[in-house]
Amino acid sequence: MPCHPLTRARPLLRLLLLRLLLPLLLAAGPAAAAEDALKIGTYKDYPPFTMTQADGSLTGFEPDLVDDLCARMEVRCTLEAVDWSNVYQDLNQGKYDLYLGGMAINAERRKYIDATAPYAVCGAAFAVMSDNGLVKEAYIDRISYDQNSDKDQSYFSDLIGLIRTRTLGLHRGTVHEPIMSRLLPAPAQVRLYDKEAELYSDLLAGKVDIVMANLYALHYFISENRQRTPRPVLWGPLITGEALCSGIAGAVRTGRTDLVERLN
């Protein structure tokens, strides 16, 4: 029996529809997949945010946050330690969907990523060893890096005067590095570290006089070493302000406002 003309045309129609719909399917593919699963990166050794155990598993605040977040979003998530120095590039190349690693968000970082709503406040603090002569001049106060008042400007002048003749340790690539690089005049000694653990190790060994870091990270470091003699102690002011950091938040690649809205 001869085929009806429409029957013979069906394969051609299917091919034509496929050609028309394929670009739309491809465009929707990654977004659709992201609705069901999220690949999340974190910094492997940044206590108390994330810590790597001997067996390679990740623990800490961020892994707990991921478990809670993904359960409430009803999505499958994978969490892995990634290279902090390539976060912006890797996010925007789609190597992972979200970065949660105690990232302090400010205007400079928003040039490279989109950020979720903050899930923690942020501030920078200093630590020295308890036998450091600076301890005798210790004061605890809050300074806004925005420098909107005479009080803040005066405190910064005093602070820089005390630091400039010492060796200051900073974690490379953090929001603290550009601030102190601008504030500290020569011949201030600034030593940059690629790993947070090495920064603290050199403070304990007396290779740097002062370290500046995230307040939560410093509190954890000091608590873990409180039995030492001498021991690390907080020193100086807590530094806050929008120019430093508007909060600790998750980071996604630029343009993923849909994912930011879901995460928020």
Side-chain angles (χ1 to χ4, degrees):
M1 179 182 295
C3 293
H4 192 279
L6 286 177
T7 302
R8 291 196 300 270
R10 281 173 185 163
L12 182 60
L13 287 172
R14 285 197 294 269
L15 180 60
L16 179 60
L17 285 171
L18 182 60
R19 287 182 175 177
L20 290 172
L21 292 173
L22 187 57
L24 296 176
L25 292 171
L26 290 174
E35 298 296 323
D36 301 321
L38 286 176
K39 189 173 182 180
I40 303 172
T42 190
Y43 186 52
K44 69 177 182 179
D45 190 20
Y46 191 26
F49 296 98
T50 307
M51 294 160 281
T52 303
Q53 302 302 300
D55 62 359
S57 61
L58 299 172
T59 61
F61 177 78
E62 305 288 12
D64 290 346
L65 177 63
V66 168
D67 289 343
D68 179 68
L69 180 66
C70 296
R72 287 188 286 122
M73 292 177 66
E74 298 182 346
V75 295
R76 292 177 290 105
C77 294
T78 57
L79 177 66
E80 65 178 77
V82 299
D83 184 358
W84 161 252
S85 64
N86 291 328
V87 166
Y88 300 149
Q89 177 180 332
D90 290 349
L91 268 176
N92 286 300
Q93 288 181 351
K95 292 185 178 180
Y96 39 92
D97 306 297
L98 170 66
Y99 180 81
L100 289 174
M103 180 181 279
I105 302 299
N106 59 17
E108 180 64 23
R109 285 184 168 171
R110 288 183 184 276
K111 295 176 182 178
Y112 309 103
I113 51 91
D114 284 348
T116 67
Y119 54 83
V121 297
C122 67
F126 301 88
V128 299
M129 297 304 291
S130 57
D131 61 348
N132 190 314
L134 281 173
V135 173
K136 298 177 182 178
E137 304 183 58
Y139 59 93
I140 299 296
D141 211 319
R142 183 186 299 263
I143 301 178
S144 170
Y145 179 61
D146 299 323
Q147 298 188 32
N148 292 323
S149 70
D150 292 339
K151 172 186 172 183
D152 290 326
Q153 292 181 18
S154 175
Y155 274 160
F156 263 120
S157 297
D158 293 344
L159 177 67
I160 298 308
L162 291 171
I163 293 177
R164 64 179 300 170
T165 57
R166 274 87 173 182
T167 302
L168 172 68
L170 298 169
H171 189 173
R172 191 189 309 274
T174 62
V175 294
H176 318 123
E177 179 192 348
I179 289 174
M180 298 313 292
S181 295
R182 285 195 297 268
L183 288 175
L184 284 171
Q189 299 295 314
V190 177
R191 187 172 296 176
L192 299 178
Y193 293 83
D194 292 319
K195 297 180 179 179
E196 193 91 358
E198 293 174 353
L199 169 71
Y200 297 144
S201 178
D202 272 9
L203 177 67
L204 295 176
K207 295 181 180 179
V208 294
D209 301 309
I210 315 167
V211 297
M212 179 184 186
N214 172 279
L215 179 62
Y216 302 119
L218 276 182
H219 268 299
Y220 184 89
F221 162 66
I222 289 170
S223 175
E224 289 293 291
N225 290 278
R226 63 185 179 277
Q227 301 299 327
R228 296 177 65 101
T229 303
R231 68 186 191 281
V233 295
L234 282 178
W235 171 83
L238 171 65
I239 299 180
T240 61
E242 290 287 323
L244 171 74
C245 171
S246 59
I248 294 174
V252 304
R253 73 174 181 266
T254 53
R256 281 304 310 269
T257 54
D258 59 320
L259 180 55
V260 170
E261 289 173 359
R262 289 199 68 206
L263 291 165
N264 288 347

